[in-house]
Amino acid sequence: DENVVDWSLFPHDYYTPTVQLRTARSCAFKCAFCRYPAVGGELKLNGVDVVMAQLTKLKDAGVQNVVFIDDTFNVPLPRFKQLCKAMIAADLGLDWYSYFRCSNSDPEAFDLMAKAGCKGVFLGIESGDQTILNNMDKYAKLDKYRAGIAALKERGIAQFCSFILGYPGETEQTVQNTIDFLDENAPMFFSAGVFYYDNKAPIARKAAQFGLKGGGFNWRHQTMDWKTAVQQADRLYKSVQNATI
């Protein structure tokens, strides 16, 4: 709280009409492909009153849109609900966007975020195959993703779903499961990138288990290599019919 941005130090036209705002540092989760929690340290959160003070100043300066860049804006869920309620009560009229985790939400949260001005969310779904999600230590279930996408659609909140192809355990069939997930649930937008093997990410501790070798975008494991993953990404982009790239 003592290190928030002092927006008065900048001319208004430097950050209007759209500003990116951080209200938390690090991440509460420990996905195996990501070392952000280790780099970011313990999860630290701005108080709701501190966030609201910034939003009020930004609105007064002419900001119309806010992009919350917290790694997972709706975690912890009680704090997210408090913030949404505060935005509703203040009636700032701001449109906002954020990273969002469907597996950590409920109907009340979806209602509150819509009323608070949320227009779109980035969903790091990563895979439409449950086994791959388990390998990633995502602690998420596909049923929660399906319900979350439907809930966002019902409330007019745009969804951008991101996927990783080629993660250890990936096969042609698991990629097909991701294609099927996209076509069955039809999110508004999606993208799919090839797995990047960060040798300092938690997955490196399981390298022997998966036969994972190499680094960066040059890797191979028991079920796929990077060249095949590129081919599978091309197949996915050509195959999905019910979501927009």
Side-chain angles (χ1 to χ4, degrees):
D1 286 349
E2 65 272 20
N3 290 303
V4 295
V5 174
D6 182 354
W7 296 99
S8 68
L9 297 176
F10 301 92
H12 290 178
D13 60 3
Y14 184 77
Y15 57 86
T16 57
T18 301
V19 67
Q20 299 191 47
L21 184 66
R22 178 177 294 284
T23 78
R25 184 181 68 217
S26 197
C27 180
F29 301 94
K30 293 179 173 59
C31 300
F33 56 81
C34 176
R35 63 170 168 149
Y36 179 45
V39 174
E42 180 186 356
L43 179 64
K44 299 286 187 179
L45 306 165
N46 282 141
V48 171
D49 57 337
V50 173
V51 177
M52 289 305 300
Q54 288 192 83
L55 291 177
T56 300
K57 290 180 180 178
L58 292 169
K59 174 64 176 180
D60 292 343
V63 169
Q64 301 170 21
N65 315 291
V66 177
V67 181
F68 292 104
I69 60 171
D70 305 0
D71 199 65
T72 309
F73 190 45
N74 61 311
V75 175
L77 189 58
R79 184 245 193 188
F80 176 71
K81 291 181 180 180
Q82 291 173 9
L83 184 53
C84 286
K85 290 176 181 178
M87 286 192 278
I88 293 168
D91 193 23
L92 296 177
L94 293 169
D95 290 343
W96 59 270
Y97 307 80
S98 75
Y99 294 95
F100 191 80
R101 194 174 177 102
C102 287
S103 58
N104 293 79
S105 195
D106 60 25
E108 181 189 21
F110 286 117
D111 286 340
L112 288 171
M113 63 194 290
K115 293 177 182 177
C118 181
K119 300 302 180 185
V121 289
F122 181 105
L123 309 177
I125 291 180
E126 318 308 359
S127 178
D129 182 272
Q130 190 62 55
T131 298
I132 300 300
L133 292 178
N134 296 344
N135 289 351
M136 291 176 169
D137 294 335
K138 282 288 293 183
Y139 299 104
K141 300 296 183 183
L142 287 174
D143 284 348
K144 291 287 286 185
Y145 285 150
R146 295 186 183 101
I149 292 172
L152 292 165
K153 284 183 177 181
E154 289 171 5
R155 293 159 179 82
I157 299 172
Q159 325 90 49
F160 180 99
C161 299
S162 176
F163 295 86
I164 295 172
L165 299 181
Y167 193 81
E170 191 87 271
T171 64
E172 184 174 340
Q173 182 57 55
T174 63
V175 173
Q176 184 61 50
N177 292 343
T178 294
I179 293 170
D180 293 342
F181 176 90
L182 278 162
D183 277 334
E184 290 166 5
N185 295 281
M188 185 174 290
F189 301 110
F190 80 98
S191 70
V194 172
F195 168 56
Y196 180 90
Y197 178 25
D198 183 342
N199 299 117
K200 294 184 179 180
I203 184 59
R205 296 195 291 268
K206 298 181 180 180
Q209 174 185 338
F210 291 108
L212 180 58
K213 299 179 180 179
F217 286 114
N218 187 354
W219 51 263
R220 67 182 185 278
H221 51 70
Q222 292 168 350
T223 58
M224 193 168 286
D225 61 22
W226 70 270
K227 293 181 181 180
T228 305
V230 170
Q231 294 169 356
Q232 290 299 312
D234 187 56
R235 178 170 77 93
L236 180 143
Y237 278 120
K238 291 178 179 177
S239 299
V240 172
Q241 299 295 313
N242 297 334
T244 300
I245 300 170

